Amino acid sequence: MDRTDVLQGTLDMLVLRAVQLEPMHGWGITERIEQWSERVLQLGQGTLYPALYRLERQGLIRSDWRVTSNNRRARYYSLTAAGRRHLNRELTQWRRMSRAINLVLEARLDGGGA
Amino acid sequence: MRRLMAGWRRFRALLRRDDLEGGLDEEIRFHIEQQTEKNRRAGMTPGEARRQALIRFGGVEGAKERTREQFRYAAVEGFLRDLRHGGRTLLHAPGFTAVAVSTLALGIGVTTAMFSVLNGILLRALPYPEQDRLVELVHEAPGFGIAELFASPAIYFAYRDHSRTFASVGLWDWDSSPVTVTGPGVPEAVQSVEVTHEILEILGADAALGRRFNQADDLPGSAPTAIISHAYWRRRFAGADPLGQTLVVDGIPRQVIGVLPQSFTFFEYPADLFYPLQPVRSEAVFPSFDGRGIARMKEGVTLRDANADVARMIPILTTEFAAPGANFDRARFGPALRRLKDTVVGELGDTLWLLMGTIGLLLVIACANVANLVLVRTQARRPELAVRAALGAGWAAIARVVFTESLLLGLAGGAVGLAVAHVGLPLLLSRAGADLPHVMTVTIDRTVLLVTLGVSVLATLMFAIVPLVHVAWPGIRLTRALRGVGRAATDGPEGNRARHVLVIAQVALAVVLLVGSGLMIRTFQSLRQVDPGFRDPAGVQTFQLTIPDAVLAGADRSADSSLEQRLRLQHAIVDRLAAVGGVESAGFSAFNDGLPLDGDGRAASILVEGRSSDTVTPAREIQFVSPGFFETLRTPLVAGRAFDWTDVHQGGRVVMVSENLARAEWDSAAAAPGKRIRRTPSSPWLEVVGVVKDVHHEGLSRPAPQIVVFPAVASETASFVVRSERVGTPGFLEELRQAVWSANGNLSLAGVRTLGDMYERSMARTSMSLQLLAITGGMALLLNLLGIYGVVGYAVTERRREIGIRLALGAARREVRRIFVRYALVLAGIGVALGLGAAAALTRLMASQLFGVNPLDPPTLAAVALLLAAAAGLAAYLPAHRASALDPAVVLKGE
């Protein structure tokens, strides 16, 4: 199965989370997610840019061209107010969901049965 | 607000597309460079670092393409996808699609056909340049209650010389009997028009060959000339050079000086030969209205200016051309100029707009029907739509699905409708053709195609709006629908209300159409009941005979003698005709316009003994008939006696009058014989010897004119009438022809038709309106049956459970049937009530089309109401019967 499909919903959330603290360019976002996830999550680059453009179209992030520390031009993405709200909603839901899944997966067999 | 912002951003993204496209390349390059840099720092060689960065990124082009998809605002692709999807869904419901498309096709098809006629005749310009400047010289005489008088040589000369608003004035006259062209070969009957030299110029007809008439051709006594039509040139000269050739027209050799272009038609007259009218100024008198005048107005002149100019010229006209001392005060002659286009179209415009209106109503009914179908279908698809909504499709997305489907239906309906129109138009024209002006061509042209497209889209909007509004509040109802998945999904009161409104509207519109048809039927009946003044017209054969001087074989060609010869020949022909086997009687009327309902006639003022003679009186219809004429028509003699041949041959002694004239002048028909009249103050008195019943000359819906009948006089052309049981049987006409030839072998019969044909023809327009209205009314009724059937059927499905319970509890099946029939009758009743109200308002518009019937004719209204109630009952009975036949056990278990 295509990995991007599985991660469709999560990818958006990760990207939004990555740019929550400060505006970042595309490569920076990949690096940060990799770093934060202790190199478990390696973003397929082929999916990052479509996601960025989609999120921008949906008004969740905005972009502008800036100059990097070593004097290169790059497109920086930052979170919009709508994006912030969206991210919070998604996070709440994700936490509920992952808690629920964890509960199921780690449940002990208390009362017998197969 | 948020949605608005999102929309704005999306819109901006669309504008920024190039920017994004360029930016993307740079962005990805930057990304790869950063990665390369990182790899290099980790100790790779520069080449290896870049290679690894590219591998890590994956397919650059693939990524770009996928990214582009995100900002390509996919409106068009989305729409096409919707269309494909809609098409597939429709194909999966072939029954629904077929019914909806054919209903629409019917509506759009008849609308298109009718609009082609309207467009061809009313909207398109005449085939003459600058038609807005062309007017027909029409006058009125309100003092005599006459709305329409045409032109004459006196009017032509007066306006030509004194007008300030006309650039050019012309006079023409159409002779309804053909002229005889002799020469090598068989004598040929040819349709001709006499024109002054301005006419062809006013109509913008340049000669295709040769030249047009000029002023010299118009002078009395100049060398006789003629211009021929393109078709006649081909026929007669087979395309050889006709210029300078000579045609012998009614015995006069005329030189052909020009050929008209192929595209030229002279109004609706199929004229092949044009020759100069050559009016004689010294002989022109006023009042006279025996020709038709047209004029081209100067640039910038309005119709009102021109009318004012004519009003100014009328006093000049009367002083210059009237008999000295004549008094015109009573007549109050005035201008009533008419645009040429209005002249050509005439009263047909009213009829066409009326028919267009009724067909528009039919289209609305068809749309209401389809709206109901779509509504029911949307209903059945509620679970599907609810699932879509639950999966995140917004209202707009769902509306788009419904709308796309409707649009597909509308366009398919339009396309099939065009085919219907293509097939139906010739049919329509064959019904109405005789009544339409031939100068205008009726085809499905680009305007018609555009209008059809517009109508299809409009129809789509009409029938899509109801279901769209219906899904507009997705929250409550869709949730309900979702819960109802698996059960028969119903839509509760809102859906019923929509359906009820549609059915009621349909019924109301059908009532309007049917009342219209009903009134036309009554009109037709009234016309049939009018006593035309003659009986059994189908048994009367009529034809015209022209006896040119050249045909009269006589040594003595002096004028008096040739007149006498001609009359003797006509007398002889009547005798020969009467001698043909099976012929009861025969007669003739002098000139070519002496028959009733032939669309032509002549009028003159007459003076009655004992009245003041210096006042111009209303013109009376005049007619010159032979003995046997009224007998042949079976026009009853009311008082006195009919003419005999002595009256004819002695001439100028006696007259007959129509009953209404006798009453107007002498209070009763019986008082008329013995009274005296004359034509001018200086002519001898003529004694009234008989009174005949009124004959309708101008159409059955117009009052019969007051007629003065003179004994036949010699005329080149005369209209013959023959009564026989054998009219219309094979060989009879040939025997009549032989009889004519036995009197003179050089004559040819023209305008052969029966009085019955003329009678039918006089009702052609009413008959056309009647047929079209009856067809639309019938279709409306059919659509109503379908609509009511559908709604009751739906109600039965919806209430299956309830019916099951009722039946299980012991309700009689009859009772169940009654519930649904009553339901339909209530809906129809409301529709009928509203429809009658609307009809009362709308039928006033068709008052001009009606005759002998009130627009609020109670029997018609009652009959229509009953008809629709019966139709509703019938349409409801089938589903009601189905409901009553349900097996309660099955229904209840099924739930």
Side-chain angles (χ1 to χ4, degrees):
Chain A
M1 180 182 274
D2 191 351
R3 198 174 43 154
T4 60
D5 271 357
V6 179
L7 284 176
Q8 176 84 61
T10 3
L11 176 66
D12 288 4
M13 197 162 61
L14 293 177
V15 171
L16 292 178
R17 177 82 183 104
V19 298
Q20 190 182 15
L21 302 179
E22 50 174 336
M24 308 198 73
H25 44 65
W27 188 72
I29 295 173
T30 342
E31 282 295 293
R32 173 153 294 179
I33 292 178
E34 229 178 281
Q35 205 182 332
W36 280 356
S37 69
E38 296 169 349
R39 315 230 159 252
V40 175
L41 295 177
Q42 296 211 340
L43 286 196
Q45 318 296 326
T47 58
L48 173 67
Y49 286 93
L52 284 171
Y53 278 76
R54 185 176 59 245
L55 290 170
E56 182 173 12
R57 213 190 64 204
Q58 287 168 354
L60 301 179
I61 57 177
R62 74 170 75 87
S63 70
D64 46 333
W65 290 93
R66 296 184 190 181
V67 179
T68 65
S69 45
N70 45 5
N71 249 346
R72 291 290 313 273
R73 220 169 79 95
R75 197 201 289 270
Y76 276 75
Y77 296 91
S78 51
L79 207 57
T80 65
R84 206 173 303 279
R85 277 194 300 275
H86 185 80
L87 179 60
N88 286 336
R89 265 200 311 277
E90 293 280 296
L91 281 178
T92 319
Q93 192 154 3
W94 173 259
R95 286 194 189 109
R96 246 183 48 216
M97 198 57 128
S98 56
R99 192 180 107 83
I101 291 172
N102 276 331
L103 285 177
V104 170
L105 295 183
E106 289 162 21
R108 303 256 133 102
L109 297 175
D110 285 338
Chain B
M1 189 63 204
R2 198 137 37 99
R3 189 169 296 192
L4 235 145
M5 287 298 290
W8 164 244
R9 266 194 296 273
R10 204 176 294 188
F11 177 66
R12 214 179 38 184
L14 196 62
L15 294 182
R16 281 175 51 203
R17 195 174 149 165
D18 286 342
D19 174 31
L20 284 168
E21 182 81 34
L24 182 61
D25 285 343
E26 185 174 348
E27 204 174 1
I28 289 176
R29 213 180 314 125
F30 173 77
H31 188 112
I32 289 169
E33 276 165 23
Q34 291 290 318
Q35 186 67 42
T36 311
E37 179 68 20
K38 189 185 169 192
N39 291 350
R40 213 173 48 75
R41 274 203 306 271
M44 294 186 199
T45 62
E48 180 64 10
R50 183 166 172 76
R51 206 174 70 86
Q52 286 302 327
L54 282 173
I55 290 172
R56 176 85 196 279
F57 191 87
V60 173
E61 284 313 312
K64 277 189 193 169
E65 187 46 47
R66 257 169 295 164
T67 309
R68 266 187 222 114
E69 270 172 25
Q70 293 303 322
F71 60 76
R72 198 177 283 154
Y73 186 47
V76 177
E77 286 99 332
F79 182 62
L80 286 179
R81 198 174 51 233
D82 283 350
L83 276 186
R84 263 199 310 276
H85 178 75
R88 266 201 305 275
T89 344
L90 285 178
L91 286 183
H92 283 150
F96 162 78
T97 309
V99 173
V101 168
S102 47
T103 307
L104 281 174
L106 194 72
I108 295 176
V110 291
T111 309
T112 302
M114 193 62 222
F115 180 76
S116 317
V117 176
L118 196 76
N119 174 56
I121 292 178
L122 297 187
L123 305 183
R124 274 226 305 258
L126 292 172
Y128 308 124
E130 295 180 278
Q131 59 147 347
D132 287 342
R133 287 170 57 196
L134 303 185
V135 292
E136 166 144 40
L137 303 180
V138 185
H139 303 80
E140 56 174 10
F144 292 159
I146 302 175
E148 184 182 78
L149 291 165
F150 295 109
S152 65
I155 290 170
Y156 162 72
F157 286 121
Y159 296 178
R160 191 190 69 181
D161 298 346
H162 300 287
S163 164
R164 295 170 186 163
T165 53
F166 297 141
S168 177
V169 177
L171 185 70
W172 61 273
D173 198 7
W174 159 256
D175 196 345
S176 56
S177 60
V179 292
T180 311
V181 175
T182 44
V186 211
E188 191 181 10
V190 177
Q191 302 285 349
S192 68
V193 177
E194 291 175 280
V195 296
T196 62
H197 68 275
E198 297 94 343
I199 292 286
L200 294 176
E201 178 212 317
I202 290 174
L203 295 179
D206 288 315
L209 281 176
R211 61 173 178 89
R212 281 199 296 237
F213 295 124
N214 57 29
Q215 210 159 355
D217 296 316
D218 247 354
L219 293 175
S222 60
T225 50
I227 291 179
I228 58 178
S229 73
H230 196 272
Y232 189 56
W233 170 43
R234 282 287 162 80
R235 207 164 67 228
R236 175 98 192 178
F237 297 102
D241 185 8
L243 300 181
Q245 299 261 23
T246 300
L247 291 175
V248 181
V249 180
D250 280 354
I252 302 172
R254 293 184 176 274
Q255 194 191 356
V256 177
I257 59 161
V259 177
L260 289 167
Q262 192 164 16
S263 59
F264 182 78
T265 33
F266 190 75
F267 303 114
E268 64 259 53
Y269 302 100
D272 280 330
L273 192 67
F274 296 77
Y275 56 92
L277 182 66
Q278 301 188 338
V280 182
R281 191 177 185 112
S282 57
E283 292 171 7
V285 289
F286 184 82
S288 60
F289 301 96
D290 49 1
R292 308 283 293 256
I294 55 177
R296 178 176 285 275
M297 300 190 293
K298 286 182 184 160
E299 200 112 30
V301 169
T302 65
L303 197 62
R304 180 193 277 192
D305 299 339
N307 268 322
D309 193 29
V310 168
R312 179 186 62 81
M313 288 186 289
I314 284 177
I316 304 178
L317 173 69
T318 50
T319 45
E320 206 167 320
F321 291 98
N327 183 341
F328 296 95
D329 292 350
R330 228 184 103 198
R332 291 194 278 129
F333 287 113
L337 299 183
R338 218 189 266 156
R339 296 210 180 272
L340 213 50
K341 174 85 196 202
D342 297 336
T343 280
V344 169
V345 172
E347 290 163 9
L348 190 59
D350 292 349
T351 311
L352 289 182
W353 281 115
L354 175 78
L355 292 176
M356 189 75 237
T358 56
I359 282 175
L361 289 185
L362 183 70
L363 180 64
V364 174
I365 295 179
C367 286
N369 238 3
V370 176
N372 241 338
L373 283 174
V374 175
L375 196 58
V376 168
R377 180 172 152 75
T378 317
Q379 227 41 73
R381 288 173 67 194
R382 277 196 157 254
E384 179 206 327
L385 295 179
V387 169
R388 277 168 181 265
L391 291 178
W395 174 72
I398 293 179
R400 217 170 59 196
V401 171
V402 176
F403 184 74
T404 323
E405 245 184 66
S406 302
L407 190 64
L408 274 174
L409 284 179
L411 293 180
V416 181
L418 213 53
V420 170
H422 186 74
V423 176
L425 189 58
L427 232 75
L428 183 69
L429 290 179
S430 71
R431 295 264 170 227
D435 202 32
L436 301 177
H438 294 295
V439 67
M440 308 301 290
T441 43
V442 173
T443 51
I444 298 181
D445 63 5
R446 216 174 39 176
T447 319
V448 175
L449 287 179
L450 278 176
V451 166
T452 303
L453 182 67
V455 164
S456 308
V457 172
L458 202 73
T460 304
L461 289 179
M462 271 200 275
F463 70 73
I465 205 87
V466 178
L468 276 184
V469 167
H470 206 57
V471 295
W473 296 280
I476 321 161
R477 280 194 307 267
L478 283 178
T479 335
R480 195 165 62 212
L482 197 51
R483 250 183 290 141
V485 173
R487 292 211 334 224
T490 70
D491 57 341
E494 304 93 345
N496 280 334
R497 206 176 310 136
R499 265 191 298 283
H500 292 169
V501 168
L502 285 173
V503 164
I504 290 172
Q506 248 184 11
V507 172
L509 290 173
V511 167
V512 173
L513 285 186
L514 287 171
V515 167
S517 328
L519 290 175
M520 280 321 282
I521 293 175
R522 301 271 294 169
T523 296
F524 201 68
Q525 282 174 340
S526 306
L527 283 179
R528 285 272 175 204
Q529 273 160 17
V530 167
D531 180 358
F534 46 82
R535 290 214 200 103
D536 314 315
V540 178
Q541 182 72 56
T542 78
F543 55 86
Q544 294 181 344
L545 276 182
T546 300
I547 307 175
D549 281 341
V551 170
L552 289 172
D556 186 1
R557 286 279 187 90
S558 77
D560 271 2
S561 143
S562 90
L563 283 180
E564 220 167 279
Q565 268 189 345
R566 193 172 272 131
L567 201 52
R568 269 204 301 278
L569 179 54
Q570 285 165 337
H571 184 170
I573 291 170
V574 168
D575 286 345
R576 301 282 167 92
L577 288 172
V580 171
V583 171
E584 285 172 38
S585 63
F588 70 92
S589 171
F591 306 103
N592 52 41
D593 48 16
L595 295 181
L597 305 178
D598 63 0
D600 206 352
R602 53 189 64 210
S605 295
I606 56 152
L607 303 168
V608 176
E609 192 174 26
R611 318 263 151 138
S612 79
S613 60
D614 57 354
T615 309
V616 174
T617 52
R620 258 68 182 244
E621 183 99 10
I622 57 173
Q623 205 181 359
F624 302 83
V625 309
S626 76
F629 180 80
F630 287 119
E631 189 191 337
T632 305
L633 262 51
R634 296 199 175 145
T635 302
L637 191 65
V638 181
R641 65 169 178 90
F643 296 140
D644 54 30
W645 282 108
T646 324
D647 296 328
V648 173
H649 290 296
Q650 288 182 342
R653 300 216 168 155
V654 294
V655 294
M656 294 168 76
V657 295
S658 63
E659 195 179 1
N660 51 5
L661 188 146
R663 263 206 229 97
E665 294 290 351
W666 303 290
D667 297 324
S668 81
K675 299 287 192 298
R676 300 205 299 172
I677 62 173
R678 59 179 167 186
R679 296 189 62 177
T680 62
S682 54
S683 59
W685 288 109
L686 306 169
E687 189 192 341
V688 176
V689 292
V691 179
V692 284
K693 201 153 180 58
D694 301 341
V695 177
H696 287 262
H697 270 242
E698 292 156 21
L700 298 170
S701 57
R702 306 255 186 108
Q706 298 184 1
I707 308 178
V708 182
V709 189
F710 299 91
V713 295
S715 61
E716 278 205 345
T717 302
S719 308
F720 283 78
V721 291
V722 179
R723 176 171 295 273
S724 168
E725 294 285 321
R726 291 177 57 206
V727 169
T729 56
F732 180 59
L733 203 56
E734 199 43 48
E735 282 183 47
L736 294 185
R737 197 167 276 141
Q738 293 298 339
V740 170
W741 283 340
S742 71
N744 184 311
N746 289 323
L747 302 175
S748 71
L749 275 59
V752 178
R753 49 192 176 166
T754 69
L755 194 58
D757 293 338
M758 295 161 76
Y759 178 74
E760 297 302 331
R761 173 83 205 271
S762 77
M763 287 196 287
R765 188 166 300 175
T766 307
S767 163
M768 169 183 86
S769 306
L770 172 67
Q771 289 184 20
L772 287 178
L773 270 173
I775 291 171
T776 18
M779 286 179 180
L781 195 63
L782 187 70
L783 288 174
N784 258 262
L785 283 171
L786 285 174
I788 294 172
Y789 174 84
V791 166
V792 175
Y794 187 78
V796 168
T797 318
E798 202 180 36
R799 292 169 67 181
R800 266 167 72 91
R801 206 176 145 76
E802 178 204 327
I803 300 162
I805 294 172
R806 274 172 189 259
L807 287 173
L809 293 179
R813 296 190 180 274
R814 192 154 36 87
E815 182 56 32
V816 171
R817 271 201 300 271
R818 199 177 298 156
I819 292 175
F820 289 103
V821 173
R822 196 165 49 214
Y823 168 66
L825 287 182
V826 168
L827 288 179
I830 301 174
V832 167
L834 291 175
L836 288 180
L842 288 174
T843 47
R844 228 168 288 156
L845 296 178
M846 61 186 290
S848 71
Q849 311 286 318
L850 300 180
F851 174 78
V853 58
N854 187 323
L856 298 176
D857 183 49
T860 306
L861 298 185
V864 168
L866 279 179
L867 179 64
L868 272 165
L874 184 70
Y877 188 79
L878 282 178
H881 182 75
R882 212 173 60 217
S884 70
L886 285 176
D887 182 345
V890 173
V891 174
L892 295 178
K893 209 157 55 187
E895 286 289 315

